[in-house]
Each structure stands twice: as C-alpha cells, then as structure tokens.
Amino acid sequence: YGDIARKLMKRIGKKEFEVVTPFYLIEHLVKWHNITLKEKIEEFYLKESTKLLSNEDVDVKIEEIGVDDKALITDLKSHDVKEEDAFIVMVTSIFNLDYLITFNRIHLKNKKETINEVLKKYGLKTIRIAGPEEV
C-alpha cells in the first residue's frame, strides 16, 4: 500500500488535486504514539493542503446548514465509525468536497453505504469515499 500512497502524494505535490484539511485532523495527530509518522503526516498536510479549515470555519458551516453535528457524529459512532473519522465524514459532506480519500479501508470505505445513509438522514449530501488507488 506504501507505493500507492507515495504515488498519490506525488500527484498531490504536482497539484493534480486540491487537498482540504480540517485543522481538527492535525490536532488529532497529537494523540499518535508513532512520532515519526505523526510528524511526516503533519508536515504533508501543512505543506500540501490547498485549504486548512479552522475549527471556526467548520462551526460556521454547521450553523449555516443547521445540522446537529453532535447527533450526527454520535449516530455515525453508533455504526462503528471512529469519532475522528465521523468528523471528517461530516466535513466532507458539509463542504461539498469531491472525495474523502482514505488509507483505512476498514473504518470508512467498507462502511460507505451506512455512512451515506446516516448523512441522508440528517439532510446532508452523500459523499464518495475512495482509496488512493481509485483516484
């Protein structure tokens, strides 16, 4: 999977894609125990993100749309979606992003139908969840 990830990262570096990153994701990296990997991921997002969404950007969008973000995240968690993944799913939907690219096939990609059903239940746009090999 490493070769596929490196290819995608090179394509991102060539600006083939826009990368939108919620700052929450970078804040979440603090919890990681693998310091080397954490630092590489943090550096990648800070360097390659076309747009970094502040927590305030997300809060404003949530208020604008009128979605109950806490209930939505709780609902996604009840379907075994980790809290940080649920947040990223919500951000992908409310900001109308083209794809949520995930390297973790188990937590998101294999649950995309369920995730989209929950999003629809809250009146939100469904999202496309893809692995790096699909873009």
Side-chain angles (χ1 to χ4, degrees), residues 96-110:
N96 200 26
L97 304 177
D98 292 333
Y99 285 94
L100 189 161
I101 306 299
T102 181
F103 292 88
N104 188 332
R105 290 177 247 150
I106 295 168
H107 288 111
L108 290 176
K109 195 168 173 216
N110 291 342

Side-chain angles (χ1 to χ4, degrees), residues 41-52:
I41 291 171
E42 183 176 20
E43 179 184 340
F44 170 79
Y45 281 122
L46 291 174
K47 179 182 174 194
E48 300 296 348
S49 291
T50 311
K51 180 164 177 90
L52 275 173

Side-chain angles (χ1 to χ4, degrees), residues 9-105:
M9 290 170 77
K10 282 182 187 177
R11 292 177 67 196
I12 290 168
K14 292 177 184 177
K15 306 298 181 206
E16 287 184 42
F17 305 98
E18 290 187 1
V19 176
V20 177
T21 305
F23 195 73
Y24 169 89
L25 181 63
I26 294 169
E27 291 174 325
H28 179 72
L29 291 173
V30 170
K31 299 176 186 176
W32 287 27
H33 298 290
N34 185 331
I35 302 298
T36 305
L37 182 59
K38 175 191 92 72
E39 288 174 352
K40 285 181 181 181
I41 291 171
E42 183 176 20
E43 179 184 340
F44 170 79
Y45 281 122
L46 291 174
K47 179 182 174 194
E48 300 296 348
S49 291
T50 311
K51 180 164 177 90
L52 275 173
L53 297 171
S54 70
N55 295 337
E56 184 180 353
D57 293 332
V58 175
D59 289 344
V60 166
K61 192 71 164 178
I62 288 167
E63 191 173 317
E64 181 183 299
I65 291 174
V67 67
D68 184 343
D69 58 317
K70 289 169 185 43
L72 170 62
I73 289 172
T74 299
D75 203 342
L76 287 166
K77 284 171 48 180
S78 77
H79 294 286
D80 296 321
V81 175
K82 295 188 302 184
E83 184 168 355
E84 60 271 19
D85 291 338
F87 182 84
I88 294 167
V89 162
M90 179 185 69
V91 167
T92 302
S93 178
I94 67 175
F95 283 91
N96 200 26
L97 304 177
D98 292 333
Y99 285 94
L100 189 161
I101 306 299
T102 181
F103 292 88
N104 188 332
R105 290 177 247 150

